[in-house]
Amino acid sequence: MVIIRIKGTVMIETLQKFSPAIVSHKMDLKLEAKTVNAFFGKTQALQNVSLSIEKNHVVAIIGPSGCGKSTFLRCLNRMHEVAGGTMNGTILLDGKDIHENDPVNLRRRVGMVFQKANPFPTMSIFDNVAAGLRLNGMAHNGHIAEIVERSLQQAALWNEVKDSLSKNGMSISGGQQQRLCIARALAVNPEVLLMDEPASALDPIPTAKIEELIYELKKDYTIIIVTHNMQQAARVSDETAFFYLGEIIEFDNTKKIFTAPSIKQTEDYVTGRFG
Amino acid sequence: MHLRKVKEFIIERMIFLSGIMSIIIVALIFIFLLKEGLSIFWRVPISDFLFARNWYPISDPPQFGILPLILGSILVTAGAGVISIPIGIASALFIAEIAPRKTKEVLKAGIELLAAIPSVVIGFIGMVTLGPFIKDLFHLSTGLTALSGSITLAFMAMPTIVSIAEDAITAVPRQYRDAAIAMGATKWQTTWRIVAHAARPGMVAAVMLGIGRVIGETMAVMMVTGNAALIPHSILQPVRTLTATVAAEMGETVQGGEHYAALFAIGIVLFIITFLINGVADIYLHKTKK
Ligand SMILES: Nc1ncnc2c1ncn2[C@@H]1O[C@H](COP(=O)(O)OP(=O)(O)OP(=O)(O)O)[C@@H](O)[C@H]1O
Ligand SMILES: [Mg+2]
């Protein structure tokens, strides 16, 4: 693992000397995690995790249960500290350390969709999508209805709910609720979207809808998706990171991870021999 | 197999019976109230009973107008509500959402202690400390006023409101807070707009139970409100409530007499008021659940 990281750094540095294109390419990094360690009290959940994510790419995070996938995701929008955890290391968003700024601003730029759909229970479908706008004081710009419609369309939910926007957000099906949560996250126009097993509780059809959606969203957002579903990771992502026991074992092009991984553990995992 | 069915049947019946029992008891109490109280309406028409301005039950001829008592109850209760609801809800939010763990434990213990103080003790403290204080503060001839009653009762409603509302707030699942925080809500926005919103039915129930305690309270109000059965024109005048009237006068009545019946009729009025408040709360709770 250490070797990979060093190899990566060395490669980029060597290439930079020869090709200015790489330099500009590096400028397009949306998110960079550098030697991130995360803890819950004394338990260490992440160890020296380093990962670079390019703009408008979809990165899948895979690995067995408890390996730190959610923890990593929650470090990226500083939700880890909300749950009482601590971390060290550096995380850069557009080259700026996320710990130097207000977490509230960070979370407006880095949206999150949770494993279990969690629409606000006392709000209508419309109000759920508008919630972020209202919280962020963007309500007064008068386009709420427009933004709500656009977000619901992006989340491929508009046609199913357009006649019942005033119904409670909990009154729709699980898959629709999850897409509602995606719409809610999109409404505030984030730059990065973190998705923690967004389809794990869903049937194949809504799952397929969410995957199509990710494909669409890639044009405008940088997406990091945690999934237990290998086919899903293979279908939706550009790069895949394999986590094991709190460490990144391998991070590479998705095709490579699933067809010719360089590390035995990765191969065992993606072929279903363990985990 | 058959035995299990019989067992099942018996258990079901027993649960049904205990459920129906509470309804039967309430019905019996109401019937008893009606039986003892309705006879007053042969002498005094209902409208006079409710809206006449004088309560002179032992003068000759007696006058049974409970308007001053109703207004006294409303004034004291409304005052107590105005004081205890905002403070109670704010304390509940503070304890549930903001206070560090240790502070929280201390505060919760304190609230429970407050709930455990007998009402006569609260009334007594109100009488000897709050009364003189209010008298001096507003330069009144007596400190035993509707305001003193409201403040005293607010202390009695508060523990109920705080502890039930706090439970309701704590019961809001973590995932809704997470959703709000992850969307860039501040701590305050999350608490106020999401958590308090989701806990609203429980908070309404808390307020209703707190106010219920205030309306039914007798001992403390009798001690601190001054007990003057006059139409109040301000919160700084002595008043008398429906409950205090029944408690104070029941001992002097002749069973089956007019005065006796009038006090039972006051009981009916109290019963109906409580019933209406519960009904409103119920309708509200059902509406928000939908
Ligand atoms: N709130 C918490 N308090 C203490 N330890 C925690 C907490 N949440 C997670 N952990 C621990 O941190 C480690 C990583 O957990 P994490 O939730 O990131 O795993 P995961 O890869 O997302 O697993 P899954 O696939 O089951 O969701 C686990 O060993 C877990 O026991
Ligand atoms: Mg997880």
Side-chain angles (χ1 to χ4, degrees), chain B residues 42-62:
Chain B
W42 304 131
R43 316 264 170 83
V44 188
I46 292 189
S47 61
D48 281 2
F49 184 74
L50 290 178
F51 301 118
R53 308 168 61 97
N54 294 317
W55 175 259
Y56 299 137
I58 42 178
S59 61
D60 194 22

Side-chain angles (χ1 to χ4, degrees), chain A residues 79 104 107-108 114 116 118-123 132 134-136 170 184, chain B residues 174-176 178-186 189 193-194 197-198 290:
Chain A
M79 286 299 285
V104 166
R107 293 181 195 125
R108 287 171 190 181
F114 294 79
K116 191 161 173 279
N118 52 2
F120 296 126
T122 51
M123 294 187 192
R134 292 185 176 139
L135 287 173
N136 295 350
M170 306 281 277
R184 182 176 67 183
Chain B
R174 164 102 243 144
Q175 47 178 343
Y176 301 131
D178 279 359
I181 294 172
M183 136 188 307
T186 60
Q189 288 174 324
R193 302 217 204 157
I194 306 299
H197 233 260
K290 244 190 288 171

Side-chain angles (χ1 to χ4, degrees), chain A residues 35-49 68 71-72 75 80 85-89 246:
Chain A
T35 59
V36 170
N37 293 286
F39 305 84
F40 288 100
K42 287 196 179 110
T43 338
Q44 183 157 14
L46 291 178
Q47 257 184 61
N48 279 329
V49 172
T71 307
F72 179 66
C75 282
H80 181 59
T86 52
M87 65 156 279
N88 59 49

Side-chain angles (χ1 to χ4, degrees), chain A residues 97 198 218:
Chain A
D97 191 335
K218 202 172 114 169

